[in-house]
Amino acid sequence: MSSYISLENKSDIEIVSSVFTSLLANQVELTIIPLKIKEELISSLLTDLDENGVQQKWNDSVRLLALQTLKILGRDANGCGQLFTDKGFKILLTHTKLQSTEPKSDTPVTQESLTCIANMLLLKESTRDLFDKYKCISSICQFLKDNGISIKTQFLLSRILFLMTIKPQPAVQPLIDNLGIIDILYNYISKHLEQLSLPNSSSKEDINSLPITRIMVLNEQLKLLFNLMINDPKIERDNLVQGSNNSNKFEKLLLPILNILLKVPKSTPLPLSPPHSHAIHALLNFPIEPYKSLWFPPSSSKKEQYRVCFNLIDMFKSMIYIAVKNDPDKENAAAGGASDNNLDFDEIITPLVVLLRKLADDDDYAKILIKEELLPDNIDRSKPLEKGDSFSARLIGLMTSVMLPHLKDSISELLFILCNQDANLFVHHVGYGNAAGFLLSKNIMMPPSSSNTSHSDKPINPVTGQYCENEPPSLSNMTDEEKEREAEKLFVLFERLKKTGVMDVVNPVEEAIKSGKIQEYKEDDEDND
C-alpha cells in the first residue's frame, strides 16, 4: 500500500498506472489498511490530484485510476480527515468540471469525482456546507438540463441533490424557485416512465452505465422530490403543493407519479419496492380533492376510473400476505422485528396504508370500494374476527400487534375511516376486543354490550365479533385439556401487554403458578382420582 507513496517519479504514466492497478486489484486489502498508512495515501493522492499537482502530466486513464483508489478509501470516514476538508472538496470539484465555463463533460473521470463527492456528502454532513459554499447547485441543475447525459451521471447528480435536500437547507428554496428543478424532474421522470413501460425495458439499459440502471435513477429523483416537498420553506403544511400566489408548484408531477404505479411493472415477490414505494411517499404529499380528475380520471367504467385504488389495494394485499402468515407478533419477534428478508414491514407497508386512508377519507366511492375489499359486510363470524386466513382477519389481527406498532395504528385508522368513524359500526366489524385500544387512544369510551344484534340478525359476541352460537363451551363445560389451552392463550396475551410498557400488569397465570394454586388444583384432581 505504501508503494504509491514511495514512488519517486509519479509523472511516469506507465509505472503509476501499474501501481494503481495493483491497488485496485486488492480492494479488500485497501479497505483494511492501517489508519496511518490510509491517511498518508489519501494525503499523497490529494496532493497529486491537485490542480497544480502531478496529475497535469497524467492522461484521463491515470486520473480515473487515482480517483477510483480515492473512492475506495473514502467509503469509510475513518482516516479521511484530509479528504473531508475544504481543500479535499475543491480538488474533487476540479475534476467534476462543475465550476468550469466550458461545456460540462460526461466522462468516467467526471463520474468518479462525483461519486467521491456523493460519498463525502453522505458520510460527513458538514461537507454539505462546502457544496453550498462553492455554489455547485446551479451547476448541477445546468448539467441535468443536458438531455444527452448518461444514466450513471444522472444518478450521481440526482443522488447529490437528494443528499443536499435531506434537511431544510439553503439549497431547497433556490432549487424550486430559481433553478427549475420541478421541470427537470418532470422531464426525467416522464422519460424514465416511457422507457420502463416498454416490454423488456431491462434489455434496453445503457451498458456503459451498468450496474446503475434507469430504475435507480428514478428512485433517486423520487426521493429528491419528496425532500423538496417536505422541506420547501414557502409551502404551508396544510396544503403542501400550493405556492405563495396559490399557484401550483408540483401539480405537473402528479400524473407521471401515478403512472409509475399503473404502468411500471412491479417487483416480485415484493411488489411494494422502489420505485413504487418512493412513488407512494411522494403521493402522500398531494391532496386528493383539488386533483380528483387526475387521481380518478373520468371513465365510463368505475373500475377504470379508480384504477389507482385497485392497484394500491392489490399491492397492499400482497404485502400483508407476505408479512403476516400466522401470528404477526410471534413471527416478527422471532425475526427481531424484521422479516425473513431482513425487511422492516412496519416501516415499508405503513405509508401505503396511510395513502389508502387518505383516499377513503377524501372520496366517497374510493371509501366504498376499499371497504368492500378490506372489510366486507359478509365477514366470517364462525370464529373470532381476527382468526382465520381471510384478508380481513389478518388486518384485524394486526390491530393488536405489539411488534408492528406503526402498521397497527395506521390499519386501525384506516378501518375506522371505512366505518365512517362510527364507533358502534367499527366494533361490529372488528370486535370490541380488537377495537378497545384504538378507541381508548381516541378518547372514545364505549363499554361492550352483552351481545350485539344492531347490525346482524344473529346475536354476536361484541368482544370477539363471533356469532354466539359458534362460541366454544364455557369454562364449566371445558375439559382439563381445553382449560389448559385457554390458560396458555391468556398467558401469551398478558405477556404481550407487558411488552408494550403501557401499563405494569401481573400475569394471572404466572401469579397462579407462583402461588401454588395451579399445583393445588392438580393435586386435588389426583386426590379425586
Side-chain angles (χ1 to χ4, degrees):
M1 299 303 168
S2 59
S3 56
Y4 178 78
I5 301 170
S6 60
L7 274 180
E8 292 183 5
N9 184 14
K10 292 183 180 177
S11 60
D12 188 319
I13 288 177
E14 188 174 339
I15 293 175
V16 173
S17 295
S18 176
V19 172
F20 279 137
T21 302
S22 177
L23 287 173
L24 291 169
N26 298 283
Q27 290 189 22
V28 175
E29 292 183 23
L30 198 58
T31 60
I32 58 173
I33 59 174
L35 202 59
K36 186 177 180 181
I37 296 177
K38 178 179 178 179
E39 290 171 344
E40 290 176 359
L41 184 53
I42 287 175
S43 176
S44 183
L45 284 167
L46 289 175
T47 299
D48 297 339
L49 284 166
D50 188 85
E51 191 174 17
N52 300 314
V54 71
Q55 62 89 20
Q56 294 179 92
K57 298 180 180 180
W58 294 346
N59 56 28
D60 275 352
S61 296
V62 180
R63 291 189 192 96
L64 179 62
L65 291 171
L67 287 164
Q68 287 174 337
T69 305
L70 195 58
K71 176 184 69 177
I72 302 299
L73 293 168
R75 286 175 177 167
D76 182 352
N78 291 322
C80 290
Q82 294 181 70
L83 179 60
F84 298 162
T85 61
D86 192 301
K87 179 184 176 182
F89 182 83
K90 282 189 71 175
I91 290 169
L92 290 173
L93 197 57
T94 300
H95 294 282
T96 66
K97 307 291 187 186
L98 284 176
Q99 291 188 311
S100 173
T101 55
E102 300 174 9
K104 302 293 182 287
S105 59
D106 186 2
T107 66
V109 169
T110 301
Q111 292 169 351
E112 283 305 313
S113 51
L114 286 171
T115 303
C116 290
I117 287 176
N119 289 341
M120 180 188 297
L121 297 174
L122 175 65
L123 294 172
K124 190 75 171 177
E125 190 174 331
S126 60
T127 59
R128 296 172 196 173
D129 296 332
L130 295 172
F131 206 82
D132 190 56
K133 174 183 175 181
Y134 290 105
K135 305 186 185 308
C136 301
I137 297 290
S138 59
S139 298
I140 283 189
C141 289
Q142 197 62 40
F143 208 162
L144 283 168
K145 288 176 183 177
D146 179 356
N147 292 323
I149 62 174
S150 66
I151 288 293
K152 185 171 184 178
T153 300
Q154 289 177 39
F155 171 83
L156 291 166
L157 296 174
S158 301
R159 164 61 68 90
I160 287 170
L161 289 182
F162 163 70
L163 293 169
M164 287 298 297
T165 55
I166 287 177
K167 294 181 180 179
Q169 300 193 45
V172 174
Q173 189 170 325
L175 272 169
I176 296 171
D177 295 341
N178 306 321
L179 300 174
I181 191 62
I182 294 174
D183 289 333
I184 291 171
L185 287 174
Y186 174 79
N187 291 334
Y188 275 109
I189 291 173
S190 299
K191 189 187 299 183
H192 297 321
L193 179 62
E194 181 182 348
Q195 291 297 317
L196 292 169
S197 302
L198 297 173
N200 302 316
S201 60
S202 59
S203 64
K204 300 179 176 65
E205 294 289 355
D206 181 356
I207 296 175
N208 294 323
S209 290
L210 293 174
I212 305 299
T213 63
R214 195 175 292 277
I215 285 281
M216 294 169 69
V217 180
L218 180 57
N219 291 340
E220 293 303 311
Q221 291 169 346
L222 289 171
K223 286 154 58 180
L224 168 60
L225 172 62
F226 180 82
N227 285 355
L228 294 171
M229 297 182 82
I230 289 296
N231 294 323
D232 180 6
K234 286 189 175 182
I235 290 179
E236 295 182 10
R237 294 298 102 196
D238 59 346
N239 195 354
L240 193 56
V241 297
Q242 298 300 319
S244 55
N245 298 319
N246 219 30
S247 59
N248 198 302
K249 290 185 175 184
F250 297 98
E251 178 183 359
K252 68 189 305 181
L253 287 160
L254 176 55
L255 186 57
I257 295 172
L258 288 170
N259 280 328
I260 290 172
L261 295 180
L262 299 174
K263 295 183 178 181
V264 177
K266 294 177 177 61
S267 301
T268 54
L270 295 171
L272 189 53
S273 301
H276 299 86
S277 56
H278 293 315
I280 286 170
H281 295 161
L283 289 173
L284 286 171
N285 294 320
F286 287 93
I288 309 297
E289 186 62 38
Y291 309 117
K292 282 194 174 182
S293 62
L294 296 176
W295 285 96
F296 317 118
S299 172
S300 57
S301 163
K302 286 290 187 184
K303 187 166 186 178
E304 183 65 24
Q305 182 177 1
Y306 284 82
R307 279 178 67 201
V308 169
C309 276
F310 286 109
N311 190 288
L312 292 171
I313 290 168
D314 288 345
M315 200 184 304
F316 182 40
K317 285 185 174 181
S318 297
M319 291 302 297
I320 290 296
Y321 278 120
I322 292 169
V324 184
K325 297 180 179 65
N326 296 295
D327 184 328
D329 285 344
K330 184 176 180 180
E331 292 169 4
N332 280 271
S339 70
D340 294 338
N341 301 306
N342 293 321
L343 296 173
D344 185 351
F345 287 119
D346 194 42
E347 180 180 326
I348 293 171
I349 304 177
T350 297
L352 172 55
V353 183
V354 174
L355 184 56
L356 284 169
R357 185 193 74 197
K358 187 173 180 176
L359 291 167
D361 203 21
D362 288 358
D363 186 88
D364 290 339
Y365 190 77
K367 182 193 292 184
I368 290 170
L369 70 88
I370 293 172
K371 184 177 183 300
E372 286 176 352
E373 293 291 330
L374 306 190
L375 202 63
D377 291 331
N378 61 341
I379 194 169
D380 179 13
R381 295 184 179 274
S382 63
K383 58 186 76 172
L385 296 180
E386 73 277 11
K387 304 295 183 183
D389 295 327
S390 70
F391 184 70
S392 57
R394 296 185 188 218
L395 284 189
I396 293 169
L398 283 166
M399 291 178 64
T400 54
S401 170
V402 174
M403 300 302 295
L404 300 167
H406 298 104
L407 190 56
K408 173 194 76 172
D409 292 342
S410 60
I411 285 175
S412 298
E413 289 278 1
L414 171 60
L415 299 185
F416 192 55
I417 292 289
L418 296 180
C419 294
N420 300 319
Q421 301 184 62
D422 180 329
N424 285 299
L425 186 59
F426 183 56
V427 167
H428 168 73
H429 275 294
V430 305
Y432 185 84
N434 298 305
F438 174 76
L439 293 175
L440 182 62
S441 72
K442 291 281 187 181
N443 292 320
I444 300 174
M445 304 302 175
M446 182 185 163
S449 57
S450 57
S451 66
N452 188 352
T453 57
S454 58
H455 298 283
S456 170
D457 55 355
K458 294 182 181 179
I460 294 174
N461 182 322
V463 175
T464 64
Q466 183 180 15
Y467 285 132
C468 294
E469 63 187 37
N470 294 111
E471 289 185 311
S474 64
L475 193 63
S476 58
N477 297 324
M478 283 185 182
T479 65
D480 289 342
E481 186 178 345
E482 288 172 333
K483 290 177 184 178
E484 187 175 337
R485 282 200 300 268
E486 291 303 312
E488 287 175 355
K489 290 179 186 176
L490 185 63
F491 182 88
V492 170
L493 287 172
F494 269 86
E495 286 303 300
R496 287 184 192 169
L497 186 58
K498 285 168 67 175
K499 286 180 183 177
T500 65
V502 173
M503 61 180 73
D504 186 19
V505 294
V506 176
N507 191 320
V509 179
E510 187 178 9
E511 188 69 16
I513 293 171
K514 288 179 180 178
S515 66
K517 290 182 179 179
I518 290 182
Q519 184 65 33
E520 288 173 14
Y521 297 151
K522 288 184 178 179
E523 289 173 356
D524 289 345
D525 290 343
E526 290 171 1
D527 292 342
N528 292 333
D529 291 342

